């Protein structure tokens, strides 16, 4: 998992002066655990899913060209990953590339490779 998920308006959190002493690994781990915490507290995550689905539909129906993180095919990585994308009536118009550090780029490539390996294994099993 790339730690670049900590962004404000598409700008990496690490570029803000007040964020020099944050624990990015802890933020990434906390983010991964959120669904479990929500299920524990509320019993389900369906309201969050519904909210995201509504914003995706709104961007498409009203041709808003909103920037929304959605899973879509990444040619360079040969898998679908969730990245910010401009979403309109035409579908995904473009991917918004975020500036990633070398470590973040390596982690993203490692995650993509893991997904690609799983896909390849499932294809062989058919």
């Amino acid at each position: 998992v790339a730690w670049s998920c900590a962004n404000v308006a598409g700008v990496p959190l690490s570029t803000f002066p007040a964020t020099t002493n944050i624990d990015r690994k802890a933020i990434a781990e906390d983010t991964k655990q959120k669904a479990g915490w929500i299920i524990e507290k509320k019993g389900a995550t369906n309201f969050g899913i519904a909210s995201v689905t509504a914003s995706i539909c709104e961007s498409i129906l009203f041709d808003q060209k909103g920037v929304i993180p959605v899973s879509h095919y990444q040619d360079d990585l040969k898998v679908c990953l969730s990245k910010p994308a401009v979403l309109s009536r035409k579908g995904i118009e473009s991917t918004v590339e975020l500036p990633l550090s070398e470590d973040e780029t390596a982690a993203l490539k490692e995650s993509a490779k893991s997904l690609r390996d799983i896909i390849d294994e499932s294809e062989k099993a058919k």
Side-chain angles (χ1 to χ4, degrees):
V1 167
W3 300 333
S4 60
C5 59
N7 282 273
V8 176
V11 178
L13 196 58
S14 61
T15 63
F16 290 87
T19 62
T20 56
N21 295 323
I22 63 170
D23 186 347
R24 296 182 72 155
K25 288 183 181 182
I27 291 171
E29 189 59 36
D30 186 53
T31 301
K32 288 191 271 184
Q33 304 303 323
K34 281 296 181 202
W37 181 84
I38 292 169
I39 290 169
E40 179 184 316
K41 302 295 181 195
K42 296 180 101 177
T45 60
N46 51 349
F47 292 111
I49 295 166
S51 176
V52 169
T53 302
S55 76
I56 290 170
C57 291
E58 186 176 38
S59 190
I60 293 168
L61 290 170
F62 299 110
D63 201 29
Q64 292 178 330
K65 297 182 184 351
V67 177
I68 300 174
V70 292
S71 183
H72 58 289
Y73 190 74
Q74 306 298 308
D75 285 322
D76 58 331
L77 300 170
K78 307 293 186 227
V79 294
C80 290
L81 291 175
S82 183
K83 284 186 164 184
V86 176
L87 193 58
S88 72
R89 192 167 285 150
K90 295 177 185 175
I92 294 173
E93 290 193 6
S94 63
T95 300
V96 178
E97 295 297 341
L98 300 175
L100 301 177
S101 69
E102 287 182 28
D103 288 344
E104 291 170 330
T105 300
L108 181 66
K109 287 180 179 179
E110 183 179 328
S111 181
K113 183 184 179 321
S114 295
L115 283 173
R116 184 76 252 161
D117 290 346
I118 291 168
I119 293 165
D120 291 343
E121 281 297 314
S122 68
E123 291 291 321
K124 288 179 191 175
K126 286 185 179 178

